[in-house]
Amino acid sequence: MIGELQATINSWIENWDLLSESWRVGIVVFALVSGTATAAYVASYIVGALERRFARTKNLWDDTFLHAARKPVVAFVWIQGVYWAAEVAYRYSEAEIFSINEKLLQIGFVWVLVWALLRLIKEGEGILTSPVKMVTPMDYTTVNAVSKLARAVVIITAVLIAMQSLGYSISGVLAFGGVGGIAVGFAAKDLLANFFGGFIIHLDRPFKVGDWVRSPDRNIEGTVEHIGWRLTTVRTFDKRPLYVPNAAFTTIAVENPSRMSHRRISETIGIRYADVREIATIVSEIRTMLENHEDIESEQTLIVNFLTFNASSLDIMVYCFTKTTQWVKFHEVKQDVLLKISEIIENHGAEVAFPTRTLHVADSLRLASADSQKSDKVGDDGPIENDDQGSDKSHASQRTRQGSSAEATGGAD
């Protein structure tokens, strides 16, 4: 059909003598480009109408396919129309640029197909991980890894097909890749280690995007934001991005607190030695309070016992698990538990102990101290009398000076 159409166009150009050949070629090329634009608009309108119609159905994949194919269909129409116009121009032109029309058409078709497949993979990834579109959405990290692998397969296949279309031998390219891969492997061993590290992360799934992770071997702690094929981005709690090579996760221990089932409360509370008679009652009431607390998991280990005689206190161990795993909610529950424990202690007239020290003095030191105080008192009586006598003498001397002063004043008058 295409060949017949080209033959008809060529016969019209050759047999119509009203205009020169260049004008006739120009008119035909303009008509083909205009027809291509019209056909592209019609194709876009038809696909859009089908997309709106299928959007009313419950099936999500037909909408995804149409949305992914809409722009590639328009691009395919344009590629085909431009190819026809270039063929017409090439028949009546000596320009060498038009000699590659066939290869460009093949490469363009491969590009359109790859574009459509990549859009379809992206749309499918959004559907599978959406809690709105799926009743049970799949894990984002797994779906993202599969989509990356699928995109890589599509792109590599497209490149090989394009090279084959351009006249290159795929077997030679593959053989060169096998030999060159050894050299590249030695030169980029760290890059390959990170690549396989990312593959192991996607395969074993020790963590996923959004998890809180930390490592006791490295200074790594934060929320996972992105898992790439070379780097994993972790947002620390002070909001700084931390880029960790994937190869590091194959040699270090990684802790994932986001997957904990409960959070633990482990406290040691000290009571005064003066309240030793109330210890058993306080321990019993604390245990009862925790067993009846709505936010404490009674199915998990729950321990409330008198632990030890400490230096300044009688220690009680409180060990239990909360139902919540949320960090903020956990601290609210822990605060409530500690306040209720303090109320129990206060209700029994007891107090929480603080570091104290008692000093015991020997009896011999007490007697020696008492004798020393008595001798000091006897020794002080003598000086008191002398002081009194000295005081009397001082008063008499003062009176004598005052009299002399008065006489001197009278004489002056």
Side-chain angles (χ1 to χ4, degrees), residues 164-219:
Q164 183 72 24
S165 301
L166 293 175
Y168 295 98
S169 174
I170 296 180
S171 58
V173 172
L174 295 177
F176 174 77
V179 175
I182 300 175
V184 172
F186 282 110
K189 59 179 181 179
D190 293 336
L191 182 63
L192 293 176
N194 292 326
F195 175 81
F196 285 107
F199 178 75
I200 294 299
I201 292 174
H202 289 301
L203 185 64
D204 293 341
R205 293 191 299 173
F207 52 82
K208 58 183 178 62
V209 174
D211 282 356
W212 165 24
V213 296
R214 63 186 176 191
S215 172
D217 301 333
R218 300 280 186 90
N219 189 19

Side-chain angles (χ1 to χ4, degrees), residues 197 201 206-207 213 220 231-232 234 244-254:
I201 292 174
F207 52 82
V213 296
I220 300 173
L231 293 173
T232 294
V234 178
V244 185
N246 290 332
F249 293 108
T250 62
T251 58
I252 63 175
V254 179

Side-chain angles (χ1 to χ4, degrees), residues 109-380:
F109 178 75
V110 172
W111 172 73
V112 168
L113 183 60
V114 169
W115 188 19
L117 290 175
L118 293 179
R119 286 171 59 89
L120 182 61
I121 292 171
K122 183 178 179 180
E123 293 292 331
E125 179 182 353
I127 289 177
L128 293 175
T129 58
S130 174
V132 178
K133 298 180 180 180
M134 299 291 292
V135 179
T136 55
M138 298 180 64
D139 179 58
Y140 174 77
T141 304
T142 303
V143 175
N144 188 33
V146 173
S147 66
K148 287 180 180 178
L149 183 61
R151 284 195 289 265
V153 170
V154 169
I155 292 174
I156 293 173
T157 304
V159 170
L160 293 177
I161 294 175
M163 294 182 68
Q164 183 72 24
S165 301
L166 293 175
Y168 295 98
S169 174
I170 296 180
S171 58
V173 172
L174 295 177
F176 174 77
V179 175
I182 300 175
V184 172
F186 282 110
K189 59 179 181 179
D190 293 336
L191 182 63
L192 293 176
N194 292 326
F195 175 81
F196 285 107
F199 178 75
I200 294 299
I201 292 174
H202 289 301
L203 185 64
D204 293 341
R205 293 191 299 173
F207 52 82
K208 58 183 178 62
V209 174
D211 282 356
W212 165 24
V213 296
R214 63 186 176 191
S215 172
D217 301 333
R218 300 280 186 90
N219 189 19
I220 300 173
E221 184 171 10
T223 304
V224 179
E225 283 193 345
H226 177 71
I227 302 174
W229 288 112
R230 192 179 74 86
L231 293 173
T232 294
T233 304
V234 178
R235 180 73 61 174
T236 61
F237 292 129
D238 56 358
K239 301 305 179 183
R240 291 182 298 175
L242 179 65
Y243 302 99
V244 185
N246 290 332
F249 293 108
T250 62
T251 58
I252 63 175
V254 179
E255 182 181 348
N256 191 341
S258 298
R259 297 181 183 177
M260 64 174 64
S261 59
H262 303 83
R263 284 189 179 274
R264 184 183 63 175
I265 296 176
S266 179
E267 296 291 333
T268 300
I269 301 170
I271 306 297
R272 299 181 308 175
Y273 271 87
D275 304 319
V276 65
R277 297 180 182 275
E278 305 294 335
I279 286 290
T281 307
I282 292 173
V283 168
S284 177
E285 291 193 11
I286 293 176
R287 183 184 295 110
T288 303
M289 181 271 295
L290 292 176
E291 290 174 349
N292 297 327
H293 199 289
E294 60 181 2
D295 293 318
I296 299 299
E297 182 58 71
S298 59
E299 300 294 330
Q300 297 294 323
T301 304
L302 194 154
I303 302 174
V304 182
N305 283 328
F306 173 53
L307 185 62
T308 185
F309 292 96
N310 211 334
S312 304
S313 62
L314 304 172
D315 289 348
I316 299 174
M317 181 179 68
V318 177
Y319 188 94
C320 60
F321 290 88
T322 63
K323 294 180 180 179
T324 182
T325 59
Q326 297 180 4
W327 179 249
V328 177
K329 178 65 175 175
F330 163 73
H331 282 285
E332 293 176 356
V333 174
K334 184 176 180 180
Q335 172 183 285
D336 183 66
V337 168
L338 295 178
L339 290 176
K340 288 183 177 180
I341 291 175
S342 65
E343 290 178 3
I344 292 173
I345 295 173
E346 185 178 356
N347 290 338
H348 288 276
E351 294 182 9
V352 176
F354 56 88
T356 58
R357 181 174 295 175
T358 303
L359 181 62
H360 295 277
V361 181
D363 293 339
S364 59
L365 294 177
R366 293 180 183 177
L367 293 174
S369 177
D371 293 339
S372 176
Q373 290 177 359
K374 289 180 181 180
S375 63
D376 291 341
K377 186 175 181 181
V378 172
D380 290 341

